[in-house]
Amino acid sequence: MKAIEAVEQNQLVERPDIRSGDTVRVHVRVTEGEKERIQVFEGIVIGQHRRGAGSTLTVRKVSFGQGVERIFPLHSPMIDRIEVVRSARVRRAKLYFLRKLRGKAARMRERRRR
C-alpha cells in the first residue's frame, strides 16, 4: 500500500474543505471538438467518497424542475476549481433523502462560518 500511496500523492490537487450540505460551484473543463470552455455546475453536496486520488463528490441540483446529480472525481484535471457558496447544518454524511423532497421542503438550514 505504501507504494500506491506514494504514486497517488503526486496526483492530489489542493481543494477547499467540502462537507455534505455545502452548496458548491464546480467549474468543469468541457472539450467540444478542438475548443475548450469552462462549464459551471452549482448544487448541493449530497455525498462524498474519500479515498485519496480516487475521491469523488456527488452534487445535486434541480434544473427546469428535474433533479440532476453529477459525480465529480475530486482530483481530476478536468475540474478547474471548486467554490463553496454556502454551508448548511446537516446531521448525516449522505443526504440521499433530498431526492424525495421538493421545493421548500428541500431547503437546508444555513450554518455560520468562522
Side-chain angles (χ1 to χ4, degrees), residues 23-41:
T23 302
V24 294
R25 204 174 278 143
V26 183
H27 297 257
V28 185
R29 287 191 184 100
V30 177
T31 306
E32 296 171 340
E34 294 180 9
K35 294 183 180 179
E36 188 176 281
R37 65 183 176 87
I38 302 284
Q39 185 175 37
V40 180
F41 190 92

Side-chain angles (χ1 to χ4, degrees), residues 56-108:
T56 60
L57 185 70
T58 306
V59 182
R60 178 182 174 81
K61 75 174 182 176
V62 177
S63 180
F64 298 98
Q66 187 72 34
V68 179
E69 287 184 14
R70 198 158 165 197
I71 300 170
F72 296 102
L74 201 58
H75 300 288
S76 170
M78 296 302 290
I79 294 182
D80 187 48
R81 70 180 189 270
I82 299 175
E83 301 172 10
V84 178
V85 179
R86 71 177 71 93
S87 296
R89 194 171 141 222
V90 294
R91 294 171 65 174
R92 29 192 105 306
K94 309 287 190 225
L95 304 179
Y96 298 145
F97 65 90
L98 288 177
R99 293 171 176 164
K100 296 176 186 166
L101 300 179
R102 300 283 177 258
K104 287 187 177 181
R107 286 182 301 179
M108 305 302 289

